[in-house]
């Protein structure tokens, strides 16, 4: 395995979209084009499946130095109401462009720290969304919570609003690791937040853990997973730490590069974690996710309805996802659009009566075919091209580039089908890269992605 890690551990995308953001064609993108595509997606899908909403709540009281998300560090909670008012204005702009009343299948509150906001203000936000919308059948509303500041009041208010799933950022229980990443929280705080969510009625509690963080050791990782076992979360996200200190605004400066585990040690941490999770009754889902058999994510994997977008893996899909808030990314299936990246620019554009979109990409027919293949690989670990509409001009090149992975026993390529073997699961991003025509045609001259392993 170490030889394979050395061979395939290269910079590569995480494929929460295709094309990936660095390869968006902004020159041929316009707000008008974005509006036309999301109206098309809405008309095609709202009645049957509803739409999704991602709401970015960017504020945090302190900076976690491992985090590459868009955030604003402040202890001034006076920012809450103006920001919520702006998000609701943005939502009303979208509603005015829909042809009928939207049905919301999914809401995800991301951050930042959503529980930075008071329970009362979160209620104001969600109630404001549903002034102009209905709840779709089989809806799933979720949020990210910080164990240190998610109160019982937060949980009760959100549960009453229809939220049944919460994800707590745990990362690691080792005090030395917590200090390096400036994310200090006790096991007791996580236990309290987890138990309170279950007592109130949340049906899925997820814990986020990260492997590859500074100062992580095998013994420390084993202890973290043993503590996780005591709480038995319904899902576990076991993410690979993305070390991207060159990205503007990223605070990954609380440690030195030499404090990070080597690629071989990092992969060993994952393999040990995976073994422990499987022994605990979890099933591996896609890439970096695990779920118990009763959880909806496991069920969606079995039913081949697992989906992946900018929110990560989802147990259901909608064709249209509207991103609200600073830096949020929207997806109409036919195009992507991203909002302004600073709170000031975002609020200014909305208050001028304009959508805050500042860049995006309109997918070509070729993009749509390749996007489906990459989604198949990321979600189902296989894809096929049995029908003419599943083929594209770069397919033979992709299969040629994958010959080494076939020889290494990582994948199988049959007449019209590609299957990622269990041995190849750690390298699924590398498989997707062979299909990524934008990456192959425009290989970046500088480092823009984290390592694949």
């Amino acid at each position: 395995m170490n030889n394979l890690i050395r061979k395939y551990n290269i910079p590569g995308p995480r494929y929460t979209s295709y094309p990936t953001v660095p390869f968006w064609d902004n020159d041929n993108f316009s707000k008008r084009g974005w509006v036309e595509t999301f109206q098309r997606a809405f008309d095609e899908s709202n009645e049957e499946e509803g739409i999704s909403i991602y709401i970015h709540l960017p504020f945090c009281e302190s900076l976690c130095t491992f985090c590459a998300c868009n955030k604003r560090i402040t202890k001034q909670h006076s920012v809450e109401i103006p920001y919520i008012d702006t998000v609701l204005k943005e939502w009303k702009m979208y509603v005015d462009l829909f042809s009928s009343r939207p049905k919301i299948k999914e809401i995800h509150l991301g951050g930042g720290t959503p529980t930075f906001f008071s329970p009362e203000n979160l209620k104001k936000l969600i109630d404001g969304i549903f002034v102009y919308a209905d709840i779709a059948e089989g809806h799933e509303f979720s949020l990210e919570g910080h164990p240190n500041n998610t109160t019982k009041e937060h949980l009760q208010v959100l549960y009453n609003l229809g939220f049944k799933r919460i994800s707590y950022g745990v990362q690691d229980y080792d005090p030395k690791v917590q200090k390096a990443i400036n994310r200090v929280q006790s096991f007791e705080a996580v236990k309290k937040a987890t138990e309170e969510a279950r007592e109130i009625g949340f049906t899925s509690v997820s814990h986020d853990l990260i492997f590859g963080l500074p100062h992580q050791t095998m013994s420390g990782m084993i202890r973290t997973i043993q503590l996780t076992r005591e709480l038995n979360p319904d899902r576990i996200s076991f993410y690979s730490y993305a070390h991207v200190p060159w990205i503007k605004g990223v605070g990954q400066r609380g440690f030195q590069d030499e404090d990070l585990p080597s690629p071989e040690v990092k992969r060993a941490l994952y393999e040990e974690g995976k073994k422990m999770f499987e022994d605990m009754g979890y099933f591996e889902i896609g890439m970096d996710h695990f779920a118990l058999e009763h959880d909806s994510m496991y069920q969606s994997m079995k039913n081949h309805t697992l989906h992946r977008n900018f929110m990560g893996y989802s147990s259901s899909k909608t064709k249209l996802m509207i991103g609200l808030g600073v830096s949020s990314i929207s997806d109409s299936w036919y195009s992507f659009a991203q909002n302004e990246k600073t709170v000031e620019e975002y609020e200014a554009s909305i208050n001028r009566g304009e959508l805050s979109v500042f860049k995006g990409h309109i997918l070509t027919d070729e993009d749509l075919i390749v996007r489906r293949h990459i989604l198949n690989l990321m979600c189902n670990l296989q894809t096929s091209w049995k029908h003419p509409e599943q083929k594209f001009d770069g397919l033979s090149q992709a299969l040629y580039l994958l010959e080494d992975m076939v020889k290494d026993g990582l994948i199988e390529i049959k007449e019209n089908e590609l299957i990622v073997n269990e041995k190849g699961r750690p390298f699924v991003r590398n498989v997707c890269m062979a299909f990524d025509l934008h990456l192959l045609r425009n290989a970046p001259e500088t480092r823009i992605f984290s390592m694949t392993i």
Side-chain angles (χ1 to χ4, degrees), residues 67-182:
C67 178
C69 298
N70 183 292
K71 62 269 181 186
R72 174 66 60 88
I73 309 303
T74 181
K75 295 184 183 295
Q76 301 300 317
H77 286 263
S78 58
V79 299
E80 295 183 32
I81 290 292
Y83 187 80
I84 286 174
D85 287 343
T86 307
V87 169
L88 293 177
K89 285 180 185 177
E90 182 185 15
W91 171 234
K92 182 60 165 59
M93 289 181 197
Y94 276 106
V95 170
D96 289 343
L97 292 167
F98 294 149
S99 58
S100 60
R101 189 173 173 89
K103 297 179 179 180
I104 300 180
K105 180 75 169 290
E106 293 183 310
I107 296 177
H108 184 72
L109 304 181
T113 306
T115 46
F116 172 97
F117 287 74
S118 72
E120 296 77 16
N121 286 336
L122 290 175
K123 184 176 188 304
K124 171 184 170 71
L125 171 63
I126 302 304
D127 282 345
I129 294 293
F130 282 104
V131 168
Y132 308 108
D134 298 320
I135 297 178
E137 184 178 350
H139 70 279
E140 184 172 281
F141 299 168
S142 59
L143 76 147
E144 299 164 13
H146 193 316
N148 286 352
N149 68 10
T150 302
T151 66
K152 198 166 188 176
E153 291 71 26
H154 279 112
L155 295 168
Q156 188 65 64
V157 163
L158 289 165
Y159 178 81
N160 293 345
L161 291 166
F163 285 74
K164 301 294 190 296
R165 188 169 73 79
I166 186 166
S167 176
Y168 289 120
V170 176
Q171 324 320 345
D172 193 291
Y173 286 114
D174 187 322
K176 188 174 183 180
V177 175
Q178 289 189 353
K179 183 178 179 181
I181 63 175
N182 197 34

Side-chain angles (χ1 to χ4, degrees), residues 2 17 37 47-48 64 89 92 104 110 120 161 229 239 244-245 254 303 313 369 371 375 395 397 409:
N2 284 348
S17 75
T37 65
E47 286 302 317
E48 181 178 341
C64 300
K89 285 180 185 177
K92 182 60 165 59
I104 300 180
E120 296 77 16
L161 291 166
R229 176 190 293 153
Y239 292 116
V244 288
N303 297 333
Y313 284 109
I369 296 170
R371 180 181 190 186
L375 266 177
L395 180 59
Q397 180 190 16

